[in-house]
């Protein structure tokens, strides 16, 4: 599995030591605000197993992200195929960080490395980003990355009941 490095971050394969902080992060209602209910330890562990299986099968997926200087696990970043039910196709970039890592520019930094991998290594012609319409923090990262939104692409995620998690926005970036 490929490892990516930035000035401050190591974007790497998952380790057993990541499971507890990943579960703790996903049990935090603020981290899950735009994602749905908090995860149990079992659900968090299962998600990491699925991330590893996807990466093994495709050569890309969700990496663990750590602060290189300290070795602290702070979340994930990576690429995933758009869900089959979505009203569009493609490869989506994403990130999720522990609250302690918010506000340091880590999401943007990790995402830039992931975009470079997607365009340069995988040769993707375009990368998408999707989030809830209310997730202004992630939308700000998307804008900093040079991604653009066309409101015609916005959609309702019917996996969620009517409410703030249903309306979603789509940002796009074509290969430079």
């Amino acid at each position: 599995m490929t490892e990516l490095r930035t000035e401050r971050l190591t974007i790497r394969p998952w380790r057993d030591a990541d499971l507890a902080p990943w579960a703790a992060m996903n049990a935090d209602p603020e981290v899950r605000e735009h994602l749905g209910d908090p995860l149990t330890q079992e659900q968090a562990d299962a998600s990491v197993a699925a991330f590893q299986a996807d990466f093994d099968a495709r050569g890309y997926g969700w990496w663990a992200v750590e602060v290189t200087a300290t070795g602290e696990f702070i979340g994930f970043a990576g690429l995933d195929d758009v869900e089959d039910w979505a009203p569009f196709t493609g490869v989506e970039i994403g990130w999720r960080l522990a609250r302690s890592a918010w506000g340091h520019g880590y999401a943007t930094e990790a995402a830039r490395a992931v975009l470079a991998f997607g365009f340069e290594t995988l040769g993707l012609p375009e990368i998408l980003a999707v989030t809830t319409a209310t997730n202004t923090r992630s939308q700000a990262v998307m804008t900093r990355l040079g991604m653009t939104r066309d409101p015609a692409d916005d959609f309702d995620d019917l996996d969620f009941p009517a409410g703030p998690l249903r309306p979603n926005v789509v940002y796009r970036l074509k290969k430079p």
Side-chain angles (χ1 to χ4, degrees):
M1 192 184 286
T2 304
E3 182 174 283
L4 307 176
R5 290 191 175 263
T6 69
E7 183 179 327
R8 302 179 296 164
L9 303 174
T10 302
I11 304 160
R12 59 164 175 74
W14 291 82
R15 300 178 185 145
D16 288 343
D18 300 330
L19 295 175
W22 172 251
M25 185 181 118
N26 282 285
D28 182 338
E30 285 190 64
V31 170
R32 299 286 307 175
E33 177 183 4
H34 302 285
L35 301 166
D37 293 332
L39 301 183
T40 65
Q41 178 75 51
E42 294 75 23
Q43 290 169 318
D45 291 351
S47 69
V48 170
F51 299 159
Q52 291 173 315
D54 287 345
F55 219 113
D56 292 343
R58 297 186 304 226
Y60 61 91
W62 304 117
W63 284 277
V65 177
E66 73 177 36
V67 177
T68 304
T70 63
E72 176 190 6
F73 170 87
I74 60 168
F76 86 167
L79 299 166
D80 196 13
D81 293 336
V82 170
E83 299 286 340
D84 291 337
W85 55 261
F88 47 84
T89 60
V91 175
E92 174 185 0
I93 188 170
W95 48 84
R96 185 177 320 153
L97 300 179
R99 261 192 299 146
S100 63
W102 293 359
H104 300 282
Y106 293 144
T108 303
E109 187 173 330
R112 283 193 175 117
V114 170
L115 284 171
F117 176 82
F119 289 136
E120 296 166 15
T121 303
L122 299 179
L124 297 171
E126 178 182 64
I127 296 175
L128 310 167
V130 178
T131 192
T132 60
T134 57
N135 190 348
T136 57
R137 292 177 70 112
S138 277
Q139 290 179 56
V141 172
M142 295 168 193
T143 300
R144 281 193 293 279
L145 295 170
M147 302 183 95
T148 57
R149 175 182 169 216
D150 179 350
D153 290 336
D154 295 353
F155 69 100
D156 284 345
D157 184 342
L158 300 179
D159 282 346
F160 292 99
L165 298 182
R166 185 174 272 185
N168 277 241
V169 296
V170 179
Y171 282 70
R172 297 174 180 272
L173 183 63
K174 295 208 179 289
K175 182 176 183 174

